Amino acid sequence: MKADREQRKRIIVGISGASGVIYGIRLLEILRDLDIETHLVMSRAAQITLAMETDFKVAEVEALACHVHSNKDIGASCSSGSFRTLGMIVAPCSVKTLSEIATGMTSGLLSRAADVTLKERRRLVLMLRETPLHLGHIRSMAQVTEAGAIICPPVPAFYARPQTLDEMVNHTVARVLDLFDIDTGLAHRWSGRRAVVLPNRFEDADAKTR
């Protein structure tokens, strides 16, 4: 039984207070459908953002995860490198959380778990949600990248021609999970440039002068 638990795929999901909390929610929904064990850490700011951006209650988001840890619980399982996981995704990731991870000055379980993920050389993906960026932000991004993290801003892929906001969110989250070699079936795969017939504006101009 213990061996089965050890072999099951696990991912830590951190949700910080940045705008875009729907990315963390959708990530939990997809991982649940894929039967991947999730360990959720939400900051207090994330709970406030949740109320502002969605109709979800904190308890409803927590119910999507297999395990929920308080951001104050620095003794939680995911605070230790001996707790084996595929890695961690912070979705969305605030600049505050980014800065804590980049400097190693962790103030809670969310940034501590990310720091542990880096020191164990596991995959850490930060869905940084901030714009525009000043030099301090960019330096923090460079610093955390040098430590081994992947900065993956939630940038929509318009080549997929999404028809709804849900499609945009699904594609973005699917591309994040691609980084863990997890195929959700939700990403629009590029298969080459399609032939596009562009209007000839010079011909149109000639027609008007005739």
Side-chain angles (χ1 to χ4, degrees), residues 7-176:
Q7 290 174 7
R8 188 182 182 190
K9 292 181 179 179
R10 287 191 193 122
I11 290 182
I12 304 168
V13 177
I15 302 180
S16 73
S19 179
V21 68
I22 188 62
Y23 291 108
I25 295 171
R26 189 58 46 78
L27 183 62
L28 289 170
E29 291 173 337
I30 292 172
L31 291 173
R32 178 193 58 187
D33 292 343
L34 294 173
D35 195 31
I36 294 177
E37 183 179 320
T38 51
H39 289 254
L40 172 65
V41 185
M42 286 184 72
S43 68
R44 173 58 183 158
Q47 296 177 2
I48 295 173
T49 303
L50 178 72
M52 294 176 63
E53 294 187 347
T54 77
D55 294 326
F56 281 91
K57 304 298 182 184
V58 173
E60 293 173 327
V61 176
E62 291 179 341
L64 296 172
C66 299
H67 304 275
V68 179
H69 307 281
S70 167
N71 194 34
K72 298 178 181 179
D73 186 7
I74 58 172
S77 57
C78 55
S79 70
S80 172
S82 63
F83 184 72
R84 299 174 64 185
T85 69
L86 294 177
M88 180 174 181
I89 303 168
V90 183
C93 181
S94 66
V95 165
K96 176 180 182 293
T97 301
L98 165 71
S99 301
E100 287 188 9
I101 299 169
T103 60
M105 299 291 288
T106 60
S107 65
L109 181 61
L110 199 162
S111 52
R112 165 61 185 174
D115 191 60
V116 167
T117 300
L118 286 179
K119 81 179 183 69
E120 296 295 325
R121 305 299 191 268
R122 295 171 186 153
R123 184 58 51 92
L124 174 64
V125 178
L126 307 178
M127 296 183 71
L128 182 66
R129 179 63 179 79
E130 188 63 77
T131 192
L133 302 167
H134 61 59
L135 184 58
H137 299 156
I138 295 170
R139 283 177 173 161
S140 291
M141 291 166 64
Q143 190 171 350
V144 79
T145 299
E146 290 169 347
I150 296 176
I151 301 292
C152 188
V155 179
F158 290 104
Y159 71 83
R161 298 193 178 187
Q163 301 299 305
T164 66
L165 186 58
D166 274 349
E167 288 183 10
M168 293 175 67
V169 171
N170 285 342
H171 179 84
T172 300
V173 172
R175 292 291 289 118
V176 167

